Amino acid sequence: MTVVETARLLTAVGLVCIAAHVLGHLFARLKQPPVIGEIVGGILLGPSLLGLAAPDAEQWLFPKSGPVTSAMDVIYQLGQLLLMFLAGAELRIRVEGRQRRTGVLVGAAGLLVPFTVGAAIAGLRPVWFTGQSGTTVTTVLVVGLAMAVAAIPVISRIMMDLGILDAPFGRIVLAVAVIEDVILYIVLAIALGLANSGESAGLWPAVGSSAVVPSVAYYTLVSALFFALALFAGPRVFRWLAQHRWNLVARQSPLAFRLVFLFSMVLCCMAFGINAVFGALVAGMCAVRGDLATGEAAADARGEQVWGAIRQFSMAFFVPVFFGLVGARLDLARDFDAWFFLWFLAVACTVKAVSIWGAALLAGESRAVAGSLAVALNARGTVGVVLAGVTYRAQLINERFFVVLVLVSLVTSQLAGAVLARTAPRLRCARETGAAQVEVG
């Protein structure tokens, strides 16, 4: 990169970071999820606003190609990987007694019904959603995911601020979201694997076939096996490596070792043709389980300190810039289709809410709790944004659907926060039920 190109990169990234933090802070003061403000900050700098007011300035900051674009793509990817690494570290929750029954019924209904509806719509009208590299199969999978997705980071942050995270309601919501997210990321890995099945990277393109049926079978099997093996052996491998006397990286910087572990897991996934996002999620799950399995108070304290440091530097730069760049890639003036957005939002929210509400009533929950579950698990938040960004980058979806997915994620998160704020006092005082605890995720 030349000096001018370096200056352009630093200017663009610096402005995105400032806009993301400032708008994120303002939205947090308004009792809204900060991620919404971070994306709005990027929208202000992108073609939706700056591109209309000063197109030359917007093009100077965000060129379509060249070294500056490539460098920003690297920062974007690192932010996405760190976000998923932290999300994987949060995929653990305990549920009790009747909460398990509610969680299973709500999770099954809230995942299968919306996914089926979304897949059916995509199968009938794939042209509404499909990008240049998409096929009917990948479109069916992605639209099904878009209908069924729920976001743990946003939901947990909303419930934490409202003081209902540790209530029975909060434990049910997080248990369902954990189950849904794990299954959804496996399906996403399959869709992305199918999209890349004709490329030269990964094991399957080298030895397998580009036909749909064997490709679907391969990516389904390898994603499920990788996930199961990683959860079974990953924490022990991580703990053994972290405590090995020859591991000079861990001794010098435990934080650096965890990042090396993250990149190693991502590379393993990529070798099998599994998307990097899935590898980062699994790496977070394995690493935090390895840290928690020591059983020593001092080691647990050190682990918490290291994870706190990872969150601090990730949330200071990489993650806000990632969301800011997502916003900067939205072209609302050219790609926003109001009718498309409204009908997709209405169908996605209605199908998800009705399926969850019915399942919760079937599990014996009150109408108030069932309604609150339907609202909370409709928040698509960061997971919806990641789904939009990953599939758009892989050209599985078109520009219009990318815009719709991001906006639906923002609107549903905002609505969930507003509605739960009104019902929080009732949920906070809900009576504890159940007995023994079991770990999920």
Side-chain angles (χ1 to χ4, degrees), residues 165-233:
L165 187 62
D166 293 328
F169 172 83
R171 289 196 288 270
I172 293 172
V173 170
L174 291 186
V176 172
V178 166
I179 296 169
E180 286 189 356
D181 277 10
V182 168
I183 295 174
L184 292 174
Y185 277 116
I186 291 176
V187 177
L188 177 59
I190 295 168
L192 293 167
L194 290 173
N196 297 326
S197 60
E199 298 180 1
S200 57
L203 177 65
W204 182 247
V207 302
S209 165
S210 60
V212 173
V213 174
S215 295
V216 169
Y218 168 79
Y219 288 110
T220 302
L221 182 63
V222 76
S223 300
L225 285 177
F226 181 86
F227 180 76
L229 182 62
L231 285 191
F232 176 73

Side-chain angles (χ1 to χ4, degrees), residues 12-24 27 34-52 58 61-62 72 76 319-332 402 406-407 410:
V13 172
L15 287 175
V16 170
C17 188
I18 292 171
H21 276 291
V22 170
L23 270 296
F27 272 70
V35 63
I36 299 178
E38 292 168 358
I39 294 176
V40 171
I43 291 175
L44 299 180
L45 294 174
S48 301
L49 186 63
L50 183 61
L52 294 177
E58 191 268 333
L61 286 174
F62 304 107
M72 279 195 286
Y76 177 94
V319 173
V321 169
F322 163 72
F323 285 120
L325 289 175
V326 169
R329 294 179 179 185
L330 293 176
D331 191 343
L332 299 179
F402 169 63
V406 175
L407 294 182
L410 301 184

Side-chain angles (χ1 to χ4, degrees), residues 2-88:
T2 66
V3 174
V4 174
E5 289 169 338
T6 302
R8 291 175 69 181
L9 173 66
L10 294 177
T11 302
V13 172
L15 287 175
V16 170
C17 188
I18 292 171
H21 276 291
V22 170
L23 270 296
H25 175 73
L26 290 178
F27 272 70
R29 292 289 298 270
L30 295 172
K31 305 298 182 182
Q32 298 298 321
V35 63
I36 299 178
E38 292 168 358
I39 294 176
V40 171
I43 291 175
L44 299 180
L45 294 174
S48 301
L49 186 63
L50 183 61
L52 294 177
D56 291 339
E58 191 268 333
Q59 284 297 313
W60 189 85
L61 286 174
F62 304 107
K64 300 300 182 185
S65 60
V68 175
T69 304
S70 300
M72 279 195 286
D73 281 344
V74 171
I75 296 173
Y76 177 94
Q77 290 278 22
L78 286 173
Q80 183 172 259
L81 292 179
L82 287 168
L83 173 66
M84 298 316 300
F85 187 55
L86 293 174

Side-chain angles (χ1 to χ4, degrees), residues 100-112:
R100 276 178 288 176
R101 181 187 175 196
T102 301
V104 170
L105 288 175
V106 169
L111 181 64
L112 294 177

